[in-house]
Amino acid sequence: MGFPESPWRMSPSSLPGLILLLLSHHFQAGNAEHFKVLGPDQPVVAVLGEDAMLPCHLSPALNAEYMQVRWFLNSFGFIVHLYKNGMDQNEHQNSKYRGRTELIKNYISYGSVSLRIRNIGLDDEGIYTCYFELDTYYEEATVKLKVAGLGSALSMSVTDHQDRGIKVMCESSGWYPEPEVTWRQEDGQSPIAASETETQEQNGLFKVKTSLLLKTNQQGSISCHIRNVILSQEKASVISIADIFYQRVSRWMASLSLILMSVLIPCGLLVVLVIYHLRKEREEKENLSAKVESFSADIKTFSADIKSLHSELEWRRCCSYAVDVTLDPGTAHPLLLLSEDQKSVRRGNIRQDLLDNPKRFDTDPCVLGCQGFTSGRHYWEVEVGDGHYWTLGVCKESVRRKGKIRWLYDGGYWTVWKMGDEYSAFTSPVTHLSLRERPHAVGIFLDYEAGKVSFYDADNKSLIHTFTDAFKETLRPFFFAYFVPFTIRPVAAWE
């Protein structure tokens, strides 16, 4: 370790302030050689133009209010954000980040100092370092930020082509990184090989042009799909093959009408009849299209209602398998405080002097349920309130209890977590979840034989996420109580 400049230059305005500062300094210095700096195991993904949240915290959870906290990019002197002497220091901040960063200090007394970067651009992508310094001791951790851009709405166009065919063109711009492009048949699943696909880079973003050749004997509809592989999101557009060829025939009829008018000017009646026929045909097609659109809207509304009803029925079925889950004190991290009925847990400020048995978690604030499941269906609910940072789910009986939990690499966890306003499922890679409402209670349903673990918003009865796997050993309820108290609540009766 080196010997960076000490952060203790704050001048208290009163004698009591000086005493408090010296006591804090003495306590922090006594523990300085024991802290580590921890960041996420996986890269943080941010969408262009939106905000990015880079998490970072101390282990154990020391008060960092009077430490130096420095976020930098690539080199120590490239300062993204600097906190020192109890306040933000902006004079040496890199101009690129000036006015765009915020150190989240809500939990700085627990050693958590996530960094928010606003209005993310392409040049913000990179590896950031979170650095803590106390006196002459310091530690750091890196956080990789990946940037992704979801492009514009797809534009579809049609042109004539040789051999009695037509070319359908699909275009979109503003993608990053280079997206995947597919054409699909009417069922939305079967892929079709594109005739030609071209990508162009414009100001670091990608513009996509892809085309498909169609013959007159093809039926149904086709769809163009452009997908961002990092965000696992795509945009699509559908076009009816029948409508394409109808438009082609209509253009031919219009040309024929012009020829007839030029050749048969004396035959005014014939011209009038042709015009009347074409107008009548157009009106009928417009009326038919309006009816089809209205019918499609009704079908979508009906499908949404059916989906909501199906979700509620699934939740009600889960409730019929409710089990009484309690917390296992023998597995609880020494910082966790369990209620007498073993139904609630919260994180304390002082590490308890507990027997360090092989089953106890010693690094992360985790605890398991007493119950172990090797078969059957089981459902329980946990109140999470407005917690900032939590993880819930199930894990194998055999998971490692000592040292830092590496969710994706150790395996054996089927969990959903919340960090700030973001929700994710610990799949590989991580699945980011878009929830309509913030759940205040989470229902967990385990179907051992079916190999499924499902998570529900227990208040609005909606499905959050489902894991599918093959279970071969005992599974137990899992709780990661970092900043939020958990309460296992009775499953509400329903009519």
Side-chain angles (χ1 to χ4, degrees):
M1 294 297 175
F3 293 88
E5 179 184 359
S6 172
W8 302 103
R9 292 186 177 176
M10 176 180 289
S11 298
S13 59
S14 64
L15 181 57
L18 176 60
I19 293 173
L20 288 175
L21 178 59
L22 291 175
L23 288 174
S24 176
H25 173 263
H26 173 74
F27 174 77
Q28 297 276 22
N31 292 276
E33 297 182 358
H34 302 287
F35 74 73
K36 293 183 179 180
V37 181
L38 303 177
D41 294 333
Q42 295 294 314
V44 175
V45 177
V47 178
L48 284 171
E50 297 185 5
D51 294 354
M53 183 74 77
L54 307 184
C56 178
H57 66 276
L58 293 176
S59 179
L62 297 175
N63 186 351
E65 188 174 358
Y66 296 107
M67 293 186 185
Q68 179 187 147
V69 182
R70 178 186 296 244
W71 281 89
F72 60 88
L73 178 65
N74 298 328
S75 65
F76 191 80
F78 193 103
I79 298 176
V80 177
H81 195 98
L82 178 62
Y83 173 88
K84 186 177 179 183
N85 296 336
M87 63 183 64
D88 295 316
Q89 307 287 340
N90 299 324
E91 59 270 19
H92 299 299
Q93 184 181 31
N94 186 275
S95 58
K96 169 184 168 183
Y97 292 94
R98 195 155 294 165
R100 295 177 54 217
T101 62
E102 178 188 1
L103 195 68
I104 307 302
K105 309 186 195 70
N106 297 3
Y107 301 97
I108 193 170
S109 59
Y110 297 99
S112 175
V113 287
S114 299
L115 179 70
R116 175 181 285 120
I117 304 177
R118 299 183 179 87
N119 192 22
I120 288 295
L122 287 178
D123 55 353
D124 290 323
E125 189 170 70
I127 297 178
Y128 292 75
T129 300
C130 175
Y131 168 96
F132 284 79
E133 178 188 322
L134 179 61
D135 288 338
T136 60
Y137 184 81
Y138 62 88
E139 283 288 353
E140 62 185 35
T142 59
V143 182
K144 186 174 183 180
L145 176 62
K146 297 182 73 173
V147 178
L150 199 60
S152 62
L154 276 55
S155 172
M156 302 277 278
S157 59
V158 178
T159 58
D160 287 327
H161 196 268
Q162 61 270 22
D163 300 328
R164 300 178 62 193
I166 57 174
K167 176 188 284 188
V168 181
M169 180 74 73
C170 177
E171 300 181 59
S172 181
S173 59
W175 294 87
Y176 186 84
E178 186 172 355
E180 290 182 350
V181 180
T182 56
W183 290 87
R184 296 177 190 166
Q185 295 179 0
E186 187 171 12
D187 58 7
Q189 301 297 326
S190 305
I192 313 171
S195 303
E196 182 180 3
T197 298
E198 174 188 353
T199 56
Q200 300 175 349
E201 193 170 351
Q202 299 177 334
N203 299 322
L205 302 179
F206 290 91
K207 180 178 181 180
V208 180
K209 289 184 179 180
T210 180
S211 61
L212 190 68
L213 292 180
L214 299 176
K215 301 297 184 180
T216 56
N217 60 351
Q218 291 179 280
Q219 303 293 324
S221 61
I222 55 170
S223 57
C224 174
H225 300 255
I226 302 181
R227 181 174 182 268
N228 187 303
V229 294
I230 294 180
L231 297 175
S232 295
Q233 296 183 38
E234 69 173 29
K235 293 193 175 183
S237 184
V238 183
I239 192 168
S240 167
I241 297 175
D243 286 346
I244 295 173
F245 284 104
Y246 178 86
Q247 293 171 7
R248 192 181 183 205
V249 171
S250 296
R251 289 197 299 270
W252 177 82
M253 287 293 293
S255 300
L256 177 61
S257 299
L258 291 174
I259 295 173
L260 289 175
M261 289 176 65
S262 62
V263 175
L264 303 175
I265 292 178
C267 303
L269 180 60
L270 178 60
V271 174
V272 171
L273 289 175
V274 170
I275 294 174
Y276 172 79
H277 174 74
L278 292 176
R279 286 182 176 176
K280 190 70 174 178
E281 183 180 23
R282 183 178 62 188
E283 290 174 358
E284 290 177 354
K285 186 175 184 300
E286 289 175 351
N287 291 335
L288 179 60
S289 298
K291 292 179 180 179
V292 170
E293 289 179 1
S294 176
F295 180 73
S296 298
D298 292 341
I299 289 295
K300 289 180 179 179
T301 301
F302 179 73
S303 298
D305 293 341
I306 290 296
K307 184 177 180 180
S308 176
L309 178 59
H310 176 75
S311 178
E312 181 172 347
L313 289 174
E314 282 294 311
W315 175 82
R316 289 175 181 250
R317 182 179 70 89
C318 295
C319 289
S320 65
Y321 297 101
V323 293
D324 184 20
V325 170
T326 54
L327 301 171
D328 182 359
T331 65
H333 185 277
L335 279 174
L336 296 182
L337 304 175
L338 274 60
S339 62
E340 291 185 5
D341 62 359
Q342 298 179 14
K343 289 288 188 177
S344 299
V345 59
R346 63 182 178 88
R347 187 175 181 274
N349 296 324
I350 301 176
R351 191 181 183 95
Q352 303 172 82
D353 185 15
L354 301 176
L355 177 65
D356 187 17
N357 65 71
K359 295 182 179 181
R360 188 180 304 283
F361 291 92
D362 68 349
T363 301
D364 288 309
C366 303
V367 61
L368 300 183
C370 292
Q371 292 68 29
F373 307 118
T374 57
S375 64
R377 300 184 176 107
H378 314 275
Y379 178 79
W380 62 97
E381 293 181 355
V382 182
E383 293 181 358
V384 297
D386 293 318
H388 171 73
Y389 184 13
W390 52 258
T391 304
L392 287 173
V394 299
C395 70
K396 294 180 180 178
E397 172 74 35
S398 61
V399 295
R400 184 167 58 90
R401 313 289 175 88
K402 308 301 180 183
K404 178 70 178 174
I405 295 178
R406 300 176 302 173
W407 308 94
L408 299 180
Y409 301 107
D410 290 347
Y413 294 90
W414 295 269
T415 57
V416 167
W417 77 309
K418 178 190 179 187
M419 171 61 117
D421 293 326
E422 297 182 1
Y423 296 84
S424 302
F426 273 113
T427 55
S428 182
V430 171
T431 300
H432 296 285
L433 307 174
S434 298
L435 306 185
R436 292 177 299 175
E437 300 179 13
R438 174 182 298 177
H440 292 83
V442 177
I444 303 167
F445 177 64
L446 167 64
D447 188 338
Y448 195 98
E449 281 76 17
K452 291 183 178 181
V453 181
S454 299
F455 294 80
Y456 292 87
D457 184 327
D459 292 328
N460 67 19
K461 310 174 186 59
S462 63
L463 178 66
I464 296 175
H465 183 75
T466 296
F467 290 91
T468 303
D469 211 329
F471 304 136
K472 298 180 180 179
E473 62 178 87
T474 302
L475 302 182
R476 296 179 66 178
F478 176 82
F479 306 81
F480 179 83
Y482 197 77
F483 291 125
V484 59
F486 290 133
T487 298
I488 303 170
R489 75 179 191 182
V491 177
W494 48 270
E495 298 180 357

